[in-house]
Amino acid sequence: MTKAISPRSRKVRILATLGPASNSVEMIAMLYEAGADAFRVNMSHGDQESKVAVIAAIRSLEKKYGRPTTILADLQGPKLRVGKFTGGKTVLETGATFILDRDKTPGDATRVELPHREIFEAIEPGARLLLDDGKLVLRVTEHDMDSITTLVVVGGALSNSKGLNVPDVVLPMAALTPKDRSDLAFAVDQGVDWIALSFVQRPEDLAEARKLIGGRAALLAKIEKPAAIERLEEIVEACDGVMVARGDLGVELPPESVPPLQKRIVEVSRRLGRPVVVATQMLESMIVSPSPTRAEVSDVATAVYDGADAIMLSAESAAGAWPIESVAMMNSIGEAVERDPTYGARIHFTVVSSDPTTADALAEAAKNIAATVDAAAIICFTSSGSTARRVARERPSVPLMVLTPRIETARRIGLLWGTHAVHTRDVNSFEDMVAKAKRMALRHNIAKAGDRVILIAGVPFKTPGSTNVLHVVRIVGDELKGYS
């Protein structure tokens, strides 16, 4: 039997990563009830076969709760790693010379294999190489196509196959590896709603993924490379959504530069009307502790105040000891921030100017009219979801109910700020639109008898991109009579 779920009172969305601690049907349902609005499936871990059951478990929530579910498949992306060492590890001394070369012989304290030809092609003297998540720092002194000689700026222990970051150059490598292409094909065949592309450096990196997706899912760009910052607006324009992936961004850039960059990425994404997710280490201590640090709580709150569409849990919900508590804590922080009387003003610090289109003008007008007439909600009819994105970009003070005949659209909207998506039959006339809006507002506890609601839609109906109607209606007490 379907368990009715009222709209979240919280407008920021919570994206929870699933993993060993949380990938059962029962745990996924508990995470949803604790506040998770969408689920991330990390393609870096496990095989495709294991993901089939996880995706099916997420979709089973739709029958249980009568709500669309949202699934994001996160592709691993290219992983740069050094080779192996004699004995499995070594120690690099600060000030020493260390060489990375094409020789497969196990390495030592003086050299190791680097099995990535692209780095030899792009590297320049003076560039930094960061090893093991930035714990060790090398600076290139000279190079050719077979070896890169470096000075060890920050030394330390180094073991087999540790990761390598190259923050100072744009590498001539595709954003999609063969594994990514296979995982992407699998994910869209399984019907996921969003594909997250890792290590985007330039807008061109998105083109191949967009082609392979073929319109079957939305494309999200993870911003985690300094090169991506240089072409940020172009990248945001070329994708459907953005993630501030602070893990690798914080490795390749000084830690103190990440907070202002986070604000910049959120601002650009909001201005261009793309949902933006803030991710990585948000409640990191809750991997092992039932309570977060006060600094972590402030970090999450800052993302909410900035107007991010979604905030994400990584290992906290995927592999930690307290996955349900982590989601519940993030939910509580979001609700507390949004109760702050100053919240409405703070999320509008970002100036969002409407594009010179009828649809954008109506979206802005819907927000303003809702505030002026004290409406209970904005209700938009959409096929593609573009109308919902336009209204959500305005960050209205009232709930946004999105009615759509396409289940794919209803599911993708799960990452969009302040939205409550409903999959329902399309309308055929203006009168039908008004009647359905009233019924759905009552049925989903968006409004009550006597309330005003704002309707926004396109006429003729069933025509994507035709948003041209804004209508204010009042709900009376008998709107549900005669309907089951």
Side-chain angles (χ1 to χ4, degrees), residues 76-139:
Q76 177 177 284
K79 293 294 184 183
L80 304 178
R81 300 185 185 279
V82 299
K84 299 185 183 303
F85 294 92
T86 301
K89 59 184 178 180
T90 191
V91 174
L92 305 191
E93 298 292 341
T94 300
T97 296
F98 188 72
I99 296 174
L100 300 109
D101 57 35
R102 309 287 298 281
D103 185 354
K104 296 182 181 296
T105 305
D108 53 28
T110 63
R111 61 152 295 276
V112 74
E113 179 197 9
L114 181 60
H116 301 287
R117 182 179 181 85
E118 300 91 346
I119 298 177
F120 292 88
E121 294 174 351
I123 203 68
E124 298 174 354
R128 292 171 299 153
L129 300 177
L130 311 179
L131 299 169
D132 194 8
D133 290 334
K135 296 182 180 68
L136 289 80
V137 181
L138 314 178
R139 190 169 297 279

Side-chain angles (χ1 to χ4, degrees), residues 146-168:
D146 294 311
S147 69
I148 300 172
T149 303
T150 72
L151 173 70
V152 180
V153 178
V154 178
L158 184 62
S159 56
N160 289 345
S161 305
K162 284 298 183 182
L164 173 77
N165 293 80
V166 189
D168 299 331

Side-chain angles (χ1 to χ4, degrees), residues 40-246:
R40 172 177 173 254
V41 178
N42 189 351
M43 304 306 293
S44 298
H45 304 297
D47 55 24
Q48 292 177 0
E49 185 178 353
S50 67
K51 303 292 192 298
V52 174
V54 173
I55 292 169
I58 300 169
R59 291 295 189 223
S60 71
L61 298 180
E62 295 186 338
K63 184 175 181 180
K64 182 174 183 179
Y65 298 105
R67 301 284 308 118
T69 54
T70 303
I71 304 173
L72 179 144
D74 195 337
L75 304 180
Q76 177 177 284
K79 293 294 184 183
L80 304 178
R81 300 185 185 279
V82 299
K84 299 185 183 303
F85 294 92
T86 301
K89 59 184 178 180
T90 191
V91 174
L92 305 191
E93 298 292 341
T94 300
T97 296
F98 188 72
I99 296 174
L100 300 109
D101 57 35
R102 309 287 298 281
D103 185 354
K104 296 182 181 296
T105 305
D108 53 28
T110 63
R111 61 152 295 276
V112 74
E113 179 197 9
L114 181 60
H116 301 287
R117 182 179 181 85
E118 300 91 346
I119 298 177
F120 292 88
E121 294 174 351
I123 203 68
E124 298 174 354
R128 292 171 299 153
L129 300 177
L130 311 179
L131 299 169
D132 194 8
D133 290 334
K135 296 182 180 68
L136 289 80
V137 181
L138 314 178
R139 190 169 297 279
V140 177
T141 55
E142 58 181 292
H143 72 96
D144 56 35
M145 288 306 297
D146 294 311
S147 69
I148 300 172
T149 303
T150 72
L151 173 70
V152 180
V153 178
V154 178
L158 184 62
S159 56
N160 289 345
S161 305
K162 284 298 183 182
L164 173 77
N165 293 80
V166 189
D168 299 331
V169 297
V170 176
L171 297 178
M173 59 194 310
L176 286 171
T177 66
K179 170 179 166 55
D180 293 330
R181 294 186 187 93
S182 174
D183 287 341
L184 188 155
F186 163 80
V188 295
D189 284 346
Q190 290 293 311
V192 306
D193 311 298
W194 287 84
I195 297 290
L197 186 62
S198 297
F199 296 104
V200 174
Q201 298 185 91
R202 51 200 163 231
E204 293 82 4
D205 290 339
L206 298 162
E208 183 183 2
R210 178 77 77 186
K211 182 178 179 180
L212 292 173
I213 291 170
R216 293 175 289 172
L219 179 59
L220 182 142
K222 294 172 66 177
I223 308 298
E224 49 194 335
K225 299 284 289 181
I229 302 299
E230 297 176 11
R231 302 184 67 182
L232 180 61
E233 295 214 8
E234 295 174 81
I235 290 171
V236 175
E237 286 273 19
C239 66
D240 302 307
V242 176
M243 181 183 291
V244 188
R246 305 182 305 178

Side-chain angles (χ1 to χ4, degrees), residues 320-382:
W322 308 94
I324 297 170
E325 290 79 1
S326 297
V327 172
M329 175 56 65
M330 193 165 264
N331 179 71
S332 296
I333 297 168
E335 290 182 341
V337 168
E338 293 179 14
R339 286 195 301 267
D340 179 356
T342 70
Y343 169 70
R346 289 180 183 275
I347 60 170
H348 287 107
F349 283 171
T350 296
V351 177
V352 177
S353 300
S354 298
D355 294 331
T357 67
T358 300
D360 279 282
L362 289 178
E364 183 179 17
K367 177 197 72 172
N368 294 334
I369 294 171
T372 301
V373 304
D374 194 25
I378 297 171
I379 301 176
C380 87
F381 291 79
T382 183

Side-chain angles (χ1 to χ4, degrees), residues 31 78 108 146 247 274 345 377 384 480:
L31 293 178
D108 53 28
D146 294 311
R274 304 298 192 273
S384 67
L480 287 175

